Amino acid sequence: MRTKVDRLVPILLIVGVLLVCFDVAWAFTVAPLVQGAQLSDPVVIAGQVVSTKLLLSQKIFYIHVPVAIASFASLIYTAYLAIRFLMTKRRAFDVRSKTAMQVTLVLVLATMISGDLWTAFEWNTWWAWEPRLTTYFILMLMVIAYFILRAAIEDEERRARYAAVFAVIASTDAPISFMVTRLVPSSVHPVVFRTDSGLPPKMLIPFLVGMLGMLLVTWALYRFALRVNEQADEVELLKERLEEVDGRRQRAAADEALGRLRAQEKTVAGNAEEPLGA
């Protein structure tokens, strides 16, 4: 049965997509370019002398950071649902936690792809073992390991319990990955959220709009995926009940057949004991 929240999901998804599109359009049309490396020879652009390289690749920032923040939020929500399962042992919370982790996996992969593109353009390499990339890479491996763990355990109760514990452990990497650029000042990865960032309105507005849009898209994807997983879980429950009913019927039929055989055996034994001349 669809709830009021489910009825709002398509609207939230459309609004989120529109906000993200607004973010991208603003980033590539209105938001100014940032200055990068020093040029060997100054050049004149639009009547102004430019002595540093203008980085078009910085536009990835307007998508990469919102997706990364959404992945952190989704992973922490996964851990929250996992804790609820450990406290209540309710199957519904295991389904919700698994669904949130599925959305987290999508966001993590999108973050890694956009981050690698940024790395290639900014640092002229596809990968660098710097603190932020390394901790986030570990986070991605833990998210993937979560699904490997679920697939490796057949017992339903043990699978849900172990997955919940692992989800809580994996979530601890989210704040570490977020704070590592502050804890390790030598990191070459830029610090986005800080008190002295001083982003001009032309850069701050699309970033905040894109952040809100990505969070709405994330929530909508979670609700869509949850509906699918809940329906699949209901089908599994129905199959289990049907198997139980079928098993009981088969046992009842077997007991009935056994009873008939025993009755026939007694009849045959009784006939065999009668005198031949009777």
Side-chain angles (χ1 to χ4, degrees):
M1 182 180 296
R2 296 184 62 185
T3 63
K4 293 181 179 179
V5 175
D6 290 328
R7 296 188 183 96
L8 292 176
V9 167
I11 298 176
L12 295 178
L13 179 61
I14 294 174
V15 172
V17 171
L18 290 177
L19 291 178
V20 172
C21 292
F22 173 83
D23 170 33
V24 175
W26 183 301
F28 281 92
T29 57
V30 179
L33 295 171
V34 299
Q35 295 182 347
Q38 191 78 19
L39 296 176
S40 57
D41 297 317
V43 296
V44 178
I45 300 178
Q48 296 183 354
V49 178
V50 177
S51 59
T52 57
K53 183 180 180 181
L54 298 178
L55 300 176
L56 180 63
S57 59
Q58 188 267 347
K59 303 295 184 180
I60 301 175
F61 155 86
Y62 295 95
I63 289 295
H64 172 71
V65 177
V67 173
I69 298 301
S71 70
F72 292 149
S74 182
L75 181 57
I76 292 174
Y77 187 59
T78 300
Y80 164 75
L81 294 172
I83 293 174
R84 292 293 303 275
F85 169 78
L86 293 174
M87 294 174 60
T88 63
K89 305 301 180 183
R90 290 176 54 188
R91 181 170 179 165
F93 284 117
D94 176 55
V95 175
R96 296 174 187 176
S97 180
K98 180 185 70 174
T99 303
M101 188 64 91
Q102 290 172 342
V103 176
T104 301
L105 178 61
V106 174
L107 295 172
V108 166
L109 293 177
T111 302
M112 290 296 294
I113 292 173
S114 59
D116 283 341
L117 291 174
W118 192 353
T119 302
F121 288 130
E122 294 280 359
W123 305 337
N124 198 29
T125 182
W126 284 103
W127 186 260
W129 291 103
E130 65 95 29
R132 170 63 66 82
L133 293 183
T134 303
T135 54
Y136 199 86
F137 179 69
I138 295 173
L139 186 148
M140 182 186 70
L141 294 180
M142 295 183 75
V143 172
I144 295 175
Y146 171 88
F147 295 101
I148 297 176
L149 176 65
R150 292 192 70 98
I153 302 176
E154 295 184 1
D155 182 73
E156 180 182 332
E157 183 178 352
R158 290 178 59 244
R159 178 174 64 240
R161 185 170 64 253
Y162 289 2
V165 173
F166 190 85
V168 175
I169 296 174
S171 67
T172 60
D173 193 40
I176 294 175
S177 181
F178 180 81
M179 294 296 298
V180 69
T181 50
R182 295 158 177 81
L183 300 175
V184 186
S186 61
S187 173
V188 295
H189 198 288
V191 178
V192 178
F193 294 99
R194 58 187 187 188
T195 56
D196 61 342
S197 58
L199 287 177
K202 289 184 178 180
M203 299 178 69
L204 182 61
I205 291 175
F207 173 74
L208 295 179
V209 170
M211 179 71 70
L212 176 60
M214 189 57 62
L215 291 176
L216 290 177
V217 170
T218 299
W219 177 252
L221 291 177
Y222 166 75
R223 295 301 303 186
F224 276 126
L226 179 61
R227 189 187 310 170
V228 173
N229 287 338
E230 286 179 339
Q231 292 174 350
D233 190 60
E234 290 178 3
V235 171
E236 288 296 324
L237 286 175
L238 289 175
K239 288 173 59 178
E240 291 176 3
R241 291 174 183 173
L242 289 174
E243 290 175 356
E244 291 177 0
V245 171
D246 185 60
R248 286 196 296 267
R249 289 177 178 175
Q250 290 180 359
R251 286 193 297 270
D255 291 339
E256 183 180 355
L258 181 61
R260 289 196 302 266
L261 289 173
R262 287 176 176 173
Q264 292 176 2
E265 181 182 3
K266 290 181 179 179
T267 302
V268 172
N271 294 335
E273 291 176 357
E274 292 181 359
L276 295 175

